Amino acid sequence: MLTFLVRRTFVMLLTALCLTFVVFVLTNLPPNLEKLAKTEAGSRISDAEVESWLERNGFARPMLLRYGEWMGVVPGWRNEQDGKVTGRCIQPGQDPATAPRFCGVLQGYWGFSTFFKAPVGEKIAYHLGLTGILMFWVMVVMVPMALLIGVLAGMREGSRLDRTLSTFSIASTATPEYVSGVLLIAVFASSMFGLKWFKGTATGAMNDVTFENFALPVLTIALYGTGYIARMTRASMAEVMTSQYIRTARLKGLSFRTIVLRHALRNALIAPFTVIMLQFPWLLNGVVIVETLFSYKGFGWTLVQAAGNNDIQLLLGCSVVAVMVVLATQLISDIGYVLLNPRIRIS
Amino acid sequence: MQPLDWTGSLAFLNPVTMAAALALLAALLVQTVLSALAPDTPATAPTRVVAETPRALALADLAVRLLFVTLVILVLVYPMVGALLPPEQGGIIGALTRRFLPVWIALGITFALSVRYKRRLGLYGKLFDSTIGMIGFGLVMFWVFTAIFSDLIITQDVLEQVSRMKNKAPGTALPDGSGWYLLGGDHLGRDVFSRMVAGSRIVILIAPFATIFAFMVGITLGLPAGYYGGRLDSILSFLANLILAFPVILLFYLLVTPEIVQTGMPQYLAVVLFLFPIIFLLTMVNSRFRVNPPRRNLLVAVIVVLGGYVYLSLISEPDSAIAILPSAVDAISMPGNILIVFVSVVFVNAPTVFRIVRGIVMDIKTRDYVAAAQTRGERPWYIMIWEILPNARGPLIVDFCLRIGYTTILLGTLGFFGLGLSPESPDWGSTINAGRKLMTIAQHPAIVPALALMSLVLGLNLLADGLREESLRD
């Protein structure tokens, strides 16, 4: 088990390293830097001035070196001009002598957002917190609903209940968030049918979560995920219900309810656990769409703003967080699967 | 001219339809609850016990069936009778039905022929044994034919703006009296209906082709990874997992930006990705006709010349990073923004296909017929393409249908974030994005494309479900 853990963690770190480098390269392409120089130093500057601006701000160095700086394994750049020392690690107004040599992600320094005019680390932490609240409620709604649908559909495969619920889950996987969100807003939050039950924006939910302003965003994300988890649960439940020990329990004369609740359910829920964990990357997609649609200023909204405004440091930070979330959930789902399923032994 | 309302002179039927729909819903609910409470008749029991169906349940069944038939008839009356009535009386539904006339004819012919000859059509024919599969197929073909005949169906020019029609409700007549905006006008006064119909062409063109390319890449890499295993497998799987660890939207935001198009990266990606279909076809032909050199050489030459020409004209674009072919010879012109949308969708889908193919191959390669082929002295690529791949077709076809649906969703996502395609473009994602901003004033500009996209994806999912059921029955 320990070697398995170590190896998985090692592969995960290697993947994280590769991914952050890819993201770094993609966000630091020459056109991006040129655009950054023009937004920072004025849009009408000449090519030569762009060059010198990049030179002065440490962007003209080799990509690998700058990646090292950003990671915090290579000393940050320093420039001396007219007796004034500027550098990556020197905050405005700070004495160059007291500034640290290394400053990167490893030291907890994520850079400075050009769009928000605030440190990236702080910004991401705040908006990630808001998304955390959204995700929590999505999970609270989605997981029990999906498991219930899946178990009910899978316990009698081919029955009428199964067909109804399966059609529902197919329909829900066919409705991406931007479709269901628009439809939900039209029906429940606009003048179309006059049912103004909920609010069409979730901006108010950032300070104060109420049923009125949070129901639609949560439902929108949960609907798309429900279908998939329910179908997986149904498949797993149906498989368990045909197994030998369930037949034994039947022949023993146990009631259907006991068989489902005591014998089948526990084994049927192993596979959905993995699926739920692996849903996180998909939920992240949903979060970006829903936060844009309902203007809820969470992590997804931040990512869109960062990408739309060429805010390189912020986009890098968001990407790293997103990728780490995905990798961490993959690791957890692997470990959880091994722990939950006694049939898998890792020697 | 008078504005149209939805049902025109058939409005007297509305209360009846509403009542039937409500009653059906109630009956369905009762039926579901009753069947959940009914004593259990396990389908898996060794001998099937014929249990007495309780009276209440039988009654509910009957009610559901009757109400359903009534509702279907009622719902069919609106478009059919509406289409025959003059435009002012047929209402919007009647007018829409008339606009879609070419699609109905084509659908009718397709279904008639397919049902007539279904026993001779293999897996495709079996599809017509399952209701779900048929509904799915019908929905998909509806949009395919809509895309084909879109020039006949649209009522207005897609980009024409009539300023007095801004955000007007469905059925509003044009100020010059030349017709109606059947599904209303959008925020710039363009016809929502025509844009929705024209948008289907973009989706129907890009989604299946992008999926085919993703499958070519996934199969070409997945076959050897699963068959040989070892280091090749580890490296390819690591790369695939690398791409899969990106949340899709992040990847889109990194790949589909004007800055990236400027660097020419989509074209370089296309250079690599578009090579795979040619490689696949070449290995396929070569492994099959290796023992018959004249035939092989002929086929290889044909593939290289034809495929090479298509390949070159796909990747090269005048005045961009790669301009190999002069524009006179360049048959297929793919504008930069379409190319990047296409490439990034292929790029996102290929690793998943790779993983599926790899898994199936690892399973199939332990079968006896593979061992027999190996003993016969067949080459590895022959075994992979001509022994393993045909036996993996079932799950792959099902996944293909699902993946076209997923690609459609991805295209919509790109449009929703305004990435890639121009904001003028009538594709569904962009129109949803434009419409959602004014949801409080006018809902139809966003709802119409949203429903269109949903029905297409739903059709593809149902089709996949039907195919899965029928292929399992073999």
Side-chain angles (χ1 to χ4, degrees), chain A residues 24-314:
Chain A
F24 190 86
V25 172
L26 285 177
T27 48
N28 280 281
L29 291 168
N32 293 75
L33 295 179
E34 194 186 320
K35 205 168 148 195
L36 178 73
K38 286 188 172 163
T39 45
E40 291 296 290
S43 54
R44 295 222 182 101
I45 56 175
S46 65
D47 287 355
E49 282 170 311
V50 168
E51 286 293 314
S52 79
W53 187 88
L54 292 178
E55 194 81 40
R56 250 180 303 136
N57 289 284
F59 287 110
R61 287 140 56 86
M63 190 75 87
L64 210 59
L65 210 63
R66 289 183 35 229
Y67 176 65
E69 279 177 359
W70 177 80
M71 279 290 287
V73 290
V74 173
W77 56 269
R78 273 166 194 243
N79 246 341
E80 211 176 322
Q81 204 178 26
D82 313 331
K84 206 175 154 229
V85 183
T86 52
R88 179 184 159 81
C89 305
I90 305 167
Q91 304 296 326
Q94 195 183 15
D95 181 17
T98 59
R101 278 191 71 220
F102 297 92
C103 55
V105 174
L106 292 179
Q107 283 83 22
Y109 177 75
W110 291 69
F112 193 80
S113 157
T114 51
F115 177 65
F116 287 113
K117 309 281 180 227
V120 168
E122 252 172 52
K123 265 300 170 203
I124 291 186
Y126 169 68
H127 291 292
L128 204 58
L130 287 176
T131 296
I133 302 174
L134 180 63
M135 284 288 226
F136 171 75
W137 286 108
V138 169
M139 283 293 167
V140 166
V141 173
M142 181 176 76
V143 173
M145 187 162 84
L147 292 183
L148 188 70
I149 293 177
V151 168
L152 284 180
M155 70 184 187
R156 288 200 193 105
E157 206 186 351
S159 70
R160 197 174 298 114
L161 189 68
D162 175 25
R163 266 180 285 149
T164 315
L165 291 176
S166 294
T167 313
F168 170 77
S169 28
I170 290 180
S172 100
T173 46
T175 320
E177 291 91 348
Y178 51 89
V179 169
S180 54
V182 160
L183 294 181
L184 285 173
I185 293 181
V187 173
F188 294 116
S190 80
S191 53
M192 193 167 136
F193 294 118
L195 304 171
K196 292 196 169 177
W197 293 351
F198 302 111
K199 284 216 172 87
T201 76
T203 320
M206 291 190 300
N207 302 318
D208 174 31
V209 173
T210 61
F211 187 64
E212 196 191 11
N213 59 24
F214 224 41
L216 289 188
V218 167
L219 201 62
T220 306
I221 304 182
L223 265 183
Y224 188 48
T226 302
Y228 189 64
I229 300 179
R231 289 178 82 173
M232 292 296 154
T233 316
R234 177 188 171 274
S236 151
M237 185 74 188
E239 196 194 325
V240 166
M241 288 305 280
T242 55
S243 60
Q244 292 291 329
Y245 72 96
I246 295 293
R247 183 183 290 185
T248 314
R250 269 182 191 289
L251 295 177
K252 249 171 30 180
L254 292 182
S255 74
F256 190 68
R257 179 209 294 265
T258 327
I259 293 173
V260 169
L261 290 181
R262 285 272 177 77
H263 298 252
L265 204 54
R266 267 179 55 188
N267 283 314
L269 289 186
I270 295 172
F273 169 78
T274 330
V275 177
I276 293 171
M277 289 314 289
L278 292 179
Q279 277 282 307
F280 269 95
W282 299 86
L283 284 181
L284 219 57
N285 275 337
V287 162
V288 179
I289 293 173
V290 164
E291 284 179 1
T292 311
L293 188 59
F294 289 92
S295 46
Y296 180 76
K297 296 187 173 60
F299 179 72
W301 180 84
T302 316
L303 200 151
V304 172
Q305 296 306 319
N309 294 293
N310 194 39
D311 191 339
I312 295 178
Q313 301 291 338
L314 187 62

Side-chain angles (χ1 to χ4, degrees), chain B residues 132-281:
Chain B
I132 295 253
M134 266 205 297
I135 296 174
F137 183 73
L139 278 172
V140 173
M141 288 321 282
F142 174 81
W143 287 114
V144 171
F145 289 133
T146 304
I148 293 174
F149 299 121
S150 63
D151 290 337
L152 294 175
I153 298 170
I154 56 173
T155 53
Q156 310 290 331
D157 185 69
V158 172
L159 293 176
E160 191 187 272
Q161 304 182 1
V162 181
S163 56
R164 279 171 63 188
M165 299 299 284
K166 274 181 195 163
N167 297 323
K168 279 289 183 317
T172 310
L174 274 164
D176 60 358
S178 60
W180 292 271
Y181 270 13
L182 289 177
L183 293 176
D186 67 1
H187 64 294
L188 293 176
R190 295 169 297 192
D191 183 20
V192 171
F193 170 70
S194 301
R195 286 178 71 76
M196 182 266 287
V197 170
S200 70
R201 187 169 266 187
I202 296 174
V203 175
I204 292 290
L205 258 181
I206 297 183
F209 277 105
T211 317
I212 291 175
F213 273 76
F215 262 76
M216 287 291 168
V217 177
I219 289 175
T220 316
L221 295 176
L223 283 176
Y227 188 75
Y228 292 117
R231 192 162 298 158
L232 178 77
D233 179 29
S234 317
I235 295 173
L236 286 177
S237 295
F238 181 74
L239 287 178
N241 287 338
L242 216 57
I243 301 173
L244 287 176
F246 272 110
V248 179
I249 289 196
L250 178 61
L251 205 61
F252 282 159
Y253 261 116
L254 293 175
L255 279 181
V256 193
T257 56
E259 285 83 35
I260 299 255
V261 178
Q262 233 176 332
T263 61
M265 208 164 88
Q267 284 183 310
Y268 296 121
L269 258 178
V271 167
V272 179
L273 290 177
F274 291 177
L275 209 54
F276 278 96
I278 299 181
I279 296 178
F280 178 76
L281 286 178

Side-chain angles (χ1 to χ4, degrees), chain B residues 109-127:
Chain B
I109 295 174
T110 315
F111 267 84
L113 287 179
S114 307
V115 173
R116 173 79 181 72
Y117 297 109
K118 68 179 174 184
R119 291 286 156 256
R120 291 193 222 155
L121 291 170
L123 184 62
Y124 169 75
K126 285 211 192 94
L127 197 61

Side-chain angles (χ1 to χ4, degrees), chain A residues 324-340:
Chain A
M324 288 317 268
V325 167
V326 173
L327 290 178
T329 49
Q330 280 178 358
L331 187 69
I332 295 174
S333 85
D334 277 7
I335 297 170
Y337 192 65
V338 172
L339 287 182
L340 281 178

